[in-house]
Amino acid sequence: VAGRYVKELRSLAQSPWFDLELNERVGDGSVQEVLYDALRRSGALPSSERCKLISAGREDLDVRMLGEGRPFVIEAVNPTTPSVNAEMLPVATRDLEEGDYGAYARGLRVCSSQGTSLRQLQAGESQKTKFYEALCYSLSPLTDEEVQRLTWSEGVTIAQATPLRVLHRRSSVVRERCVLSCRPEVVAGTHGRAFVLHLSTAAGTYVKELVHGDLGRTVPSICSLLGRGCWCLQLDVTCVDMPFDGTDDETHDGVPGNFVVDIDDDGGGGVGDDSD
């Protein structure tokens, strides 16, 4: 089943997350479980051994996914029956919208490994554009000149080393990323210290590190452009812009096939190196 999910809860992981050192679960559930449980309750998906969520990148636990949502495909692994009941997808959609689960889905449809949706997810690995709103805090008030300095619409190339927070599970490399546009909006009543950054970036950009600089591992950063400490307090993804229409998905009746998607597995399914 394919669609786009919206995540409104900042304590919801994308997929089940366990801290092996503490032997405990992190967060208040996962988007994967919310979607799969609703699809099973409605009868759209059969019972299965487990499920797998494949998505156009992933957001951090404390980051919301808003707007039209993030493209995804959810697969029932070793199901009791190899088919999807498409007539029950609207029931699952209503359940998700009316329930208090912290996430819901839009545009649910039958898909298969020979259809368009998975190919579009794979193509979007390097082609998607993401839009954000980042609530930031500066050590001193933003001046009018600094607001202009942080405003651009023609694209700025940055160099990002693998962030310290994920270095334990990813190799240390430096990648060039493009911040397509940036516009700060000072928050009223904060004496110029708090501001919302409206951003659009190419795939793979680490936005939190773009703000605080990651001890000089992201150059330039908002911190380096201002010449002082600056932190991202809250982050929302407002749009994942990529083709995801699934035009020929249903011609394959939702029967699983052998399409292979390159999974960047850091605790759950996600296509490519998305870095919210």
Side-chain angles (χ1 to χ4, degrees):
V1 173
R4 287 178 177 259
Y5 74 78
V6 174
K7 189 188 96 173
E8 299 177 316
L9 193 63
R10 294 194 188 275
S11 58
L12 199 65
Q14 189 189 69
S15 56
W17 182 10
F18 297 89
D19 188 316
L20 299 180
E21 291 186 1
L22 298 177
N23 194 30
E24 64 182 28
R25 183 160 186 162
V26 180
D28 297 322
S30 70
V31 173
Q32 174 179 306
E33 292 165 303
V34 168
L35 298 175
Y36 183 55
D37 288 349
L39 288 165
R40 283 195 305 172
R41 281 194 303 270
S42 69
L45 276 184
S47 296
S48 61
E49 180 181 301
R50 60 187 177 88
C51 71
K52 180 166 62 176
L53 180 68
I54 303 166
S55 64
R58 82 190 87 240
E59 67 281 335
D60 288 343
L61 175 75
D62 60 348
V63 176
R64 296 190 298 178
M65 177 66 240
L66 305 178
E68 293 300 310
R70 186 182 297 275
F72 75 90
V73 169
I74 192 163
E75 175 189 353
V77 180
N78 295 327
T80 54
T81 57
S83 62
V84 176
N85 187 343
E87 293 181 354
M88 301 308 294
L89 291 177
V91 177
T93 299
R94 285 195 299 272
D95 179 12
L96 289 165
E97 290 177 345
E98 295 172 1
D100 187 21
Y101 307 120
Y104 61 92
R106 299 176 183 272
L108 291 178
R109 62 179 183 269
V110 176
C111 73
S112 80
S113 56
Q114 284 80 37
T116 306
S117 293
L118 279 170
R119 287 196 291 271
Q120 288 178 326
L121 283 182
Q122 189 177 51
E125 174 181 346
S126 58
Q127 298 172 2
K128 62 182 178 287
T129 299
K130 299 177 296 178
F131 295 80
Y132 300 90
E133 290 183 355
L135 176 62
C136 304
Y137 179 80
S138 168
L139 277 179
S140 57
L142 252 63
T143 65
D144 290 342
E145 187 276 330
E146 288 170 334
V147 168
Q148 292 302 313
R149 191 186 310 164
L150 298 183
T151 301
W152 66 82
S153 59
E154 296 183 354
V156 170
T157 299
I158 62 173
Q160 286 201 311
T162 303
L164 294 172
R165 63 188 170 101
V166 299
L167 199 54
H168 64 284
R169 64 176 183 258
R170 294 184 178 174
S171 57
S172 181
V173 295
V174 177
R175 298 181 176 91
E176 285 194 349
R177 298 296 188 225
C178 186
V179 181
L180 302 171
S181 66
C182 182
R183 178 175 63 86
E185 180 184 356
V186 175
V187 177
T190 65
H191 304 287
R193 294 178 183 269
F195 58 97
V196 175
L197 273 184
H198 301 272
L199 296 161
S200 64
T201 76
T205 306
Y206 290 93
V207 174
K208 293 175 181 176
E209 282 71 19
L210 169 65
V211 175
H212 62 66
D214 203 26
L215 299 179
R217 296 174 66 84
T218 291
V219 180
S221 65
I222 302 301
C223 177
S224 67
L225 290 173
L226 292 176
R228 59 179 178 275
C230 187
W231 296 271
C232 179
L233 304 180
Q234 287 186 340
L235 181 62
D236 292 334
V237 188
T238 57
C239 178
V240 177
D241 185 15
M242 57 175 279
F244 194 63
D245 52 15
T247 50
D248 66 342
D249 278 335
E250 293 191 32
T251 62
H252 300 283
D253 302 321
V255 178
N258 297 311
F259 190 88
V260 177
V261 177
D262 181 19
I263 300 298
D264 172 31
D265 189 359
D266 62 355
V271 177
D273 186 21
D274 193 55
S275 315
D276 307 334

